[in-house]
Amino acid sequence: MPTVNNSTIVSNPNLKQPKTIAIMKRVLESNDQNAIANQRSFDERHILAINLMSSPGSGKTTLLEATARKAKFKFAVIEGDMETNRDADRLLKLGVNAYQICTGTACHLEADMVRNAADQMNLNGIEVLFVENVGNLVCPASYELGTHLNVVLLSTPEGDDKVLKYPVMFRTADLVLITKAELAPMFDFSVDRVRSEVRQLKPEIKTVAVSAKTGEGFDDWLAFIEAHLQARQ
Ligand code: MG
Ligand code: ZN
């Protein structure tokens, strides 16, 4: 039970109505069906699909740009934002096969959006498909997309206290990346604190600190993907 003063907890009574609960359940169930179909289709094409989740501005697209410069595997990207093609354009400029989803009002991607995007793309020869989710540490964690792995990013300017504040998100992670590692001293960011709090939630999960500026951690990041690619062969 919450130990804080109850008057500070704001809740929407509509969300507790049986009808609302039933609708939410249906939405999530139909999303799960679409996610299962997505994964089957990725498997048939021997594509490893990775869902990237984090707050806005933590460096998901920057990670992908740096990955494009260093990776030996061939990858494509589905970008999710509410508006604009900015992120897909950044990757297209580097020669990466990228497709932008604009969600309009939705603050997360859903499995059918990913399927529609994948249908528009030429994924021949692609080994890894990154899905860059809408920037948000909350609801993307609740919508399966059919990807094989979840990678959650936390940038050093956001602060080292986020893992236990957003446990639902961090519990979905197969890997946690601390981004903008070169700025850690400037923001009094403790990599050890994050690593230990991630372990507290999920002991088997690795936390890797990376910097797209200095290249720190990229060997580990790329090795993580390579290991999963090999395991699937
Ligand atoms: Mg982005
Ligand atoms: Zn959402």
Side-chain angles (χ1 to χ4, degrees), residues 59-62 79-81 87 90 132-133:
K60 295 182 292 299
T61 314
T62 303
E79 282 289 345
D81 276 302
D87 284 358
R90 283 169 60 182
E132 183 184 327
N133 218 309

Side-chain angles (χ1 to χ4, degrees), residues 189-227:
F189 185 101
S190 165
V191 171
D192 287 342
R193 179 186 186 184
V194 170
R195 191 165 278 140
S196 99
E197 292 191 348
V198 167
R199 242 185 252 132
Q200 210 175 308
L201 283 180
K202 217 176 165 185
E204 70 276 21
I205 295 311
K206 219 178 141 182
T207 299
V208 175
V210 297
S211 166
K213 285 261 189 285
T214 67
E216 175 188 344
F218 269 77
D219 288 347
D220 285 348
W221 160 235
L222 296 173
F224 168 83
I225 297 169
E226 301 277 4

Side-chain angles (χ1 to χ4, degrees), residues 3 6 24 29 38 50 78 82 126 139 188 191 195:
T3 52
N6 274 326
M24 275 308 293
E29 277 170 3
N38 282 354
I50 302 176
I78 293 175
M82 292 177 87
I126 292 296
C139 50
D188 293 325
V191 171
R195 191 165 278 140

Side-chain angles (χ1 to χ4, degrees), residues 17-92:
Q17 297 294 325
K19 199 173 162 195
T20 310
I21 292 170
I23 291 170
M24 275 308 293
K25 199 167 163 243
R26 259 206 321 273
V27 168
L28 286 173
E29 277 170 3
S30 100
N31 186 69
D32 280 350
Q33 293 305 317
N34 291 332
I36 290 166
N38 282 354
Q39 187 155 105
R40 198 175 301 133
S41 140
F42 296 142
D43 287 341
E44 279 165 11
R45 291 181 277 180
H46 306 287
I47 291 171
L48 173 68
I50 302 176
N51 185 8
L52 296 179
M53 293 179 283
S54 74
S55 321
S58 59
K60 295 182 292 299
T61 314
T62 303
L63 175 84
L64 293 173
E65 286 174 324
T67 302
R69 295 193 180 96
K70 297 171 200 282
K72 294 202 178 73
F73 51 83
K74 206 171 166 215
F75 71 86
V77 180
I78 293 175
E79 282 289 345
D81 276 302
M82 292 177 87
E83 289 290 350
T84 82
N85 294 328
R86 286 178 179 175
D87 284 358
D89 287 345
R90 283 169 60 182
L91 294 161
L92 288 166

Side-chain angles (χ1 to χ4, degrees), residues 107-108 136 139:
C107 44
H108 57 265
N136 179 347
C139 50

